[in-house]
Amino acid sequence: MSTATLSQTDISPVLKELGIQPENTGVSTGVQWFEGSGKWIESYSPVDGNLIAKVKCAGEFDYEMVVKQSQEAFKTWRKMPAPKRGEIVRQMGDALREKKDALGKLVSYEMGKSLQEGLGEVQEMIDICDFAVGLSRQLYGLTMHSERPNHRMYEQYHPLGIVGIISAFNFPVAVWSWNSMLAWVCGDVCIWKPSSKVPLCAIACQNIITDVLKRNNVPEGVSGLVIGNASGDLLNNDKRISLVSFTGSTRVGRHVSKTVAERFGKTILELGGNNAIIVTPDADLKMVLVGSVFGAVGTAGQRCTSTRRLIIHVSIYDKVCDVLKSAYSQLSIGNPLDQSNHVGPLIDKKAVEDYSNAIKKAISEGGKVLVEGGVLEGEAYESGCYVKPCIIEAENHFEIVQEETFAPILYLIKYKTIEEAIDLQNGVPQGLSSSIFTTNMREMELFLSTAGSDCGIANVNIGTSGAEIGGAFGGEKETGGGRESGSDAWKAYMRRQTNTINYGSELPLAQGIKFDF
């Protein structure tokens, strides 16, 4: 384990490059920044426990100003040709390329994920910009044959209006880009309410795209930012917000879903995951090791796609346990900006408390600890947010196994038949990501069939953690059912309209109805 002194981390050059001040306002309509009327919040790094900077939150008055500015901006932005909007997004991608190193370091320092993962998250933003540029020329509708002579029917898509984006701490910048870049090329305007645990990452993103907005005379209000928890429910209850894209816990997601549905608004919900890997006797154990260990400990287990459960065939259970124990003994825990470390801190001490309670509950339900967890102490872990990745032998029906704990706890579960393994995989309330490791074609095809995984993501011979922006991202059941990023996820940000044109000289009615005068 690393014993580097975390307090030696100097983040000041990064903050300067990204325009982060000791005190910042959390209200922006694009280029302009305004002094918020809400309370001050402080951003502490889980890396070393140091205060990074303060942010003045948005109050109700500030929120109202941002929404009105967005309404006006939408009137102009929606009329701009989609390829032109795509060109502006392309320039945003270039701006992110220029600031990739600095933004990646800030993500790592403010959130606590490894530097490699922080840089990878920024790369996802760049990739989604590239995807959105191509999409701006492919917002296709359909042409259909009419049953009436001299008539033409077709479908087209129009922008919704204002899209509210409420993002979580674990991906402080990427999730915003998955939504905003697609929404922008579709002709929508966006208001972002980031997690109050990582507000500086949001301010940095707004600063990065400011020059692009200025250079292209983009209307003030196309890219709004409101920091502070109070703005979340303002977005949810506001009839002017056509779509709310929420990423977070299932508990809060239920509230968002109910609130927005009551006003007939639209939602994209990316909620909890309880992801499993099935390991069969025909699996390549070297691949299993990489996929399961990174899935379980990457981002300190704070991904919605993190591997929570390993469902292992009884014939290879002991062998897999031994391999995992050996790998866990070699993990280096410490400053995530030090690329020799594998595991960084949890986001805050509340997360540490949840981690400790989950281990206690698993043991109380009959779980057997195979790799001991615990909170790390000492100068190298002075923030109090560092914990040891833990492995527990458990049963799928344990209450704690049925829950999502945002921490590096991996539950091992035995199975005898592939059908039993799939039932165990599906036997949780969540349905985000799933995986099977096997070289048996029948097993992999069964896993991918209608009798297989019930998750939104089903992988073969790769882990549960992470996804490419080319495919639609999201899950089923208590994961929410929403889809973001690639494929045809863009349709969620638009309204579909069916059009019929009569180019003849008579007006025949549909279904052969006669209505003669």
Side-chain angles (χ1 to χ4, degrees):
M1 296 181 184
S2 172
T3 58
T5 303
L6 303 185
S7 59
Q8 293 175 352
T9 301
D10 183 10
I11 204 71
S12 55
V14 169
L15 299 179
K16 183 177 180 181
E17 183 176 349
L18 296 173
I20 305 296
Q21 306 298 322
E23 294 184 351
N24 304 268
T25 181
V27 183
S28 175
T29 54
V31 174
Q32 296 184 43
W33 289 87
F34 300 90
E35 181 72 21
S37 58
K39 65 178 183 179
W40 285 98
I41 59 173
E42 297 173 328
S43 178
Y44 288 90
S45 171
V47 174
D48 52 21
N50 288 338
L51 174 65
I52 311 173
K54 297 180 180 181
V55 179
K56 191 73 177 295
C57 294
E60 191 167 350
F61 172 83
D62 312 308
Y63 170 83
E64 186 66 23
M65 175 193 65
V66 172
V67 172
K68 287 182 177 179
Q69 194 77 60
S70 295
Q71 285 182 301
E72 288 303 309
F74 177 59
K75 295 175 183 178
T76 302
W77 182 250
R78 66 185 176 184
K79 295 178 182 178
M80 185 181 294
K84 174 60 177 174
R85 297 193 296 257
E87 165 58 19
I88 293 170
V89 168
R90 184 195 67 77
Q91 294 174 36
M92 291 180 181
D94 286 345
L96 288 166
R97 283 182 175 91
E98 293 176 6
K99 300 293 185 181
K100 178 180 176 180
D101 286 348
L103 184 56
K105 288 176 182 176
L106 178 61
V107 168
S108 178
Y109 188 66
E110 188 177 31
M111 185 267 150
K113 64 176 59 177
S114 72
L115 178 58
Q116 299 97 314
E117 292 181 79
L119 294 170
E121 183 172 346
V122 180
Q123 186 60 49
E124 283 190 33
M125 302 176 75
I126 295 166
D127 292 343
I128 200 66
C129 287
D130 290 346
F131 181 91
V133 174
L135 175 63
S136 68
R137 296 180 183 271
Q138 300 178 75
L139 302 174
Y140 299 139
L142 294 172
T143 299
M144 296 152 286
H145 290 282
S146 172
E147 66 184 49
R148 290 167 285 183
N150 300 324
H151 282 60
R152 180 168 70 86
M153 293 179 65
Y154 68 96
E155 290 181 340
Q156 62 177 336
Y157 288 84
H158 297 292
L160 286 172
I162 304 176
V163 172
I165 303 166
I166 304 176
S167 60
F169 76 86
N170 59 330
F171 279 86
V173 294
V175 171
W176 166 70
S177 69
W178 293 353
N179 286 274
S180 60
M181 302 306 169
L182 297 194
W184 282 331
V185 298
C186 289
D188 299 312
V189 297
C190 299
I191 299 176
W192 183 15
K193 203 293 289 184
S195 168
S196 294
K197 296 180 180 182
V198 284
L200 304 179
C201 287
I203 292 172
C205 287
Q206 195 80 341
N207 286 340
I208 288 171
I209 66 171
T210 292
D211 285 343
V212 176
L213 299 175
K214 280 183 179 178
R215 189 165 59 244
N216 290 275
N217 296 314
V218 173
E220 199 72 35
V222 167
S223 178
L225 177 67
V226 285
I227 291 176
N229 291 336
S231 295
D233 258 349
L234 291 174
L235 284 167
N236 296 331
N237 284 286
D238 195 337
K239 291 182 179 181
R240 296 167 295 181
I241 309 301
S242 301
L243 168 69
V244 174
S245 178
F246 172 81
T247 302
S249 69
T250 297
R251 178 184 61 83
V252 179
R254 282 195 180 95
H255 169 71
V256 173
S257 178
K258 180 181 178 181
T259 303
V260 178
E262 284 180 343
R263 61 174 178 83
F264 295 104
K266 300 177 184 294
T267 55
I268 297 174
L269 302 175
E270 298 290 355
L271 311 177
N274 195 345
N275 317 295
I277 294 176
I278 296 173
V279 184
T280 78
D282 292 317
D284 182 327
L285 291 187
K286 291 182 180 178
M287 296 172 67
V288 170
L289 182 64
V290 175
S292 58
V293 174
F294 175 73
V297 309
T299 324
Q302 297 174 111
R303 291 184 175 214
C304 51
T305 55
S306 290
T307 305
R308 310 288 177 201
R309 298 173 294 143
L310 213 57
I311 303 170
I312 309 165
H313 193 270
V314 292
S315 67
I316 57 170
Y317 183 83
D318 291 340
K319 186 175 182 179
V320 173
C321 284
D322 291 341
V323 170
L324 286 173
K325 288 178 184 178
S326 176
Y328 270 53
S329 70
Q330 300 173 57
L331 291 174
S332 180
I333 306 170
N335 188 338
L337 290 167
D338 180 348
Q339 298 192 52
S340 66
N341 289 324
H342 303 105
V343 185
L346 293 177
I347 185 64
D348 55 26
K349 291 183 179 179
K350 175 61 168 62
V352 173
E353 181 183 347
D354 292 343
Y355 157 87
S356 298
N357 289 338
I359 294 174
K360 291 176 184 176
K361 187 170 183 180
I363 294 171
S364 71
E365 292 189 73
K368 177 183 177 183
V369 176
L370 303 179
V371 174
E372 188 175 355
V375 181
L376 294 169
E377 299 177 347
E379 185 180 8
Y381 312 108
E382 58 190 335
S383 70
C385 297
Y386 290 84
V387 301
K388 293 189 288 185
C390 177
I391 299 179
I392 300 175
E393 183 177 281
E395 299 288 341
N396 206 59
H397 62 80
F398 288 180
E399 282 188 12
I400 192 62
V401 176
Q402 292 286 307
E403 300 172 7
E404 179 191 43
T405 303
F406 239 44
I409 302 173
L410 180 63
Y411 300 110
L412 303 193
I413 301 165
K414 299 176 183 177
Y415 82 91
K416 293 181 180 179
T417 69
I418 186 64
E419 290 80 9
E420 179 191 6
I422 292 172
D423 285 344
L424 290 168
Q425 139 66 38
N426 294 342
V428 292
Q430 308 84 359
L432 179 52
S433 186
S434 59
S435 174
I436 187 170
F437 277 81
T438 182
T439 55
N440 184 314
M441 186 178 72
R442 290 180 177 177
E443 289 180 332
M444 69 176 68
E445 289 295 337
L446 177 62
F447 179 73
L448 298 174
S449 73
T450 54
S453 169
D454 64 0
C455 293
I457 299 170
N459 298 328
V460 175
N461 293 327
I462 62 172
T464 63
S465 187
E468 295 186 33
I469 60 95
F473 180 87
E476 301 300 324
K477 301 190 292 187
E478 289 190 2
T479 300
R483 294 296 185 272
E484 294 172 322
S485 193
S487 186
D488 66 347
W490 62 271
K491 293 180 179 179
Y493 304 92
M494 305 194 81
R495 59 181 177 86
R496 184 163 65 177
Q497 183 181 76
T498 301
N499 307 110
T500 305
I501 299 172
N502 178 0
Y503 56 89
S505 57
E506 298 180 354
L507 183 58
L509 303 179
Q511 292 85 45
I513 295 174
K514 300 295 183 180
F515 193 73
D516 297 327
F517 288 98

